[in-house]
Amino acid sequence: MLNKQQRKYQRQHPDTPPVEKEKLKDGVTEHSSAHEKALESYVLACSDEEGDYLHRLYRATNIHTVHGRMASGHLQGRLLRMFVKMVNPTNILEVGTFSGYSAICLAEGLAEGGKVWTFEINDEQEDFTRPWIEQSPVGDKINFIIGNAIEEAPRLGITFDMAFIDGDKKTYIETYEMVLGVMRSGGIILADNTLWDGHVVDEAYSNDKQTQGIDRFNRHVAKDPRVERVMIPLRDGLTVIRKK
């Protein structure tokens, strides 16, 4: 049975498939092949450890929220932290906080004085997410804001060095355009879910609003002369974009 928060999320995201069973780790389900599970375990064993706090958050996300698999998880989380260390940003903008997993991973990579500004539009997510962020070892590096990032992020008056887009798929283009407007030249944008579980090439989902939004975004970015881009087939698709 869904709790109140889960029921509201389902109403607000009718295009999202019904609640699925908890994923074991980073895209591997109980239905995955033995080879896929073995390969995933190998990849994780050869990558940095997730850490106890993030492991507990990932598990709690799957237990207490709808579609816990939306949390970045071990592999993508370590990649986000690595990107931050490579770019060395001062200010990071995140659109779509969800349970706070990715915000914490981004903040882990920040040098002293760096900040993550993360926006979540679903106000009922706050009771779950805020304690996890504030009690994390990097809580002082994260500003968690409930609100519409497209409207509110430009009002901060901050020039961002890096951004992670992981919000409403139907408005990815609008989010992207906003992010470009508040980002410095040479800044890096990471856009999540750009393969959308493979639905972007599946005709069965051609009328699905979320899939359409992702596909429009991908085509928009692919033709944008203002940026350089590369799509990485990691988990659900991650596109790395550099503003010229």
Side-chain angles (χ1 to χ4, degrees):
M1 180 178 294
L2 303 183
N3 60 34
K4 181 180 178 182
Q5 176 182 316
Q6 292 170 330
R7 289 196 299 271
K8 180 176 180 181
Y9 186 93
Q10 200 77 68
R11 290 195 304 270
Q12 292 179 335
H13 300 76
D15 298 317
T16 306
V19 179
E20 301 175 6
K21 292 184 178 180
E22 176 186 353
K23 290 213 167 187
L24 302 179
K25 291 293 284 184
D26 285 298
V28 178
T29 70
E30 62 182 359
H31 303 297
S32 299
S33 69
H35 177 75
E36 289 173 328
K37 291 180 180 179
L39 187 59
E40 183 72 18
S41 296
Y42 181 85
V43 169
L44 294 177
C46 293
S47 302
D48 283 347
E49 293 183 356
E50 179 180 35
D52 178 67
Y53 192 85
L54 285 169
H55 177 74
R56 289 190 287 113
L57 171 54
Y58 187 82
R59 227 185 129 61
T61 301
N62 277 276
I63 293 171
H64 298 294
T65 71
V66 168
H67 307 297
R69 69 183 184 131
M70 294 194 309
S72 290
H74 182 170
L75 182 60
Q76 189 177 50
R78 296 307 83 196
L79 182 62
L80 291 176
R81 185 184 69 165
M82 183 69 76
F83 268 122
V84 174
K85 287 181 174 288
M86 293 167 64
V87 176
N88 193 28
T90 299
N91 290 300
I92 301 175
L93 173 61
E94 180 181 49
V95 181
T97 314
F98 189 41
S99 67
Y101 191 104
S102 54
I104 293 172
C105 293
L106 292 166
E108 284 181 334
L110 284 171
E112 192 67 31
K115 286 284 185 181
V116 175
W117 304 76
T118 180
F119 285 83
E120 173 57 50
I121 199 167
N122 179 8
D123 59 352
E124 287 203 2
Q125 190 67 39
E126 182 171 14
D127 288 346
F128 176 89
T129 302
R130 190 171 295 282
W132 279 101
I133 287 178
E134 293 182 350
Q135 294 169 24
S136 75
V138 291
D140 61 330
K141 295 183 177 182
I142 303 172
N143 290 320
F144 175 42
I145 302 166
I146 295 293
N148 186 336
I150 296 175
E151 298 174 357
E152 297 186 26
R155 297 172 184 166
L156 295 173
I158 296 171
T159 298
F160 291 93
D161 311 291
M162 188 173 182
F164 182 48
I165 300 176
D166 193 19
D168 183 4
K169 314 312 170 191
K170 297 189 295 294
T171 59
Y172 252 35
I173 291 179
E174 292 86 345
T175 301
Y176 168 73
E177 290 296 332
M178 178 277 292
V179 170
L180 278 181
V182 298
M183 175 163 287
R184 68 168 173 83
S185 177
I188 298 295
I189 302 171
L190 305 174
D192 201 15
N193 307 122
T194 47
L195 291 178
W196 201 232
D197 206 23
H199 295 169
V200 290
V201 294
D202 189 341
E203 291 185 1
Y205 290 87
S206 60
N207 293 321
D208 174 69
K209 300 301 183 184
Q210 301 274 24
T211 303
Q212 290 174 351
I214 288 291
D215 184 54
R216 284 195 301 269
F217 168 77
N218 289 338
R219 295 176 188 276
H220 181 75
V221 173
K223 297 177 181 179
D224 191 349
R226 300 169 295 176
V227 302
E228 300 168 293
R229 82 294 289 165
V230 61
M231 184 182 289
I232 303 173
L234 172 70
R235 293 185 82 236
D236 203 20
L238 182 70
T239 300
V240 182
I241 305 162
R242 179 183 177 274
K243 181 178 177 180
K244 293 181 181 178

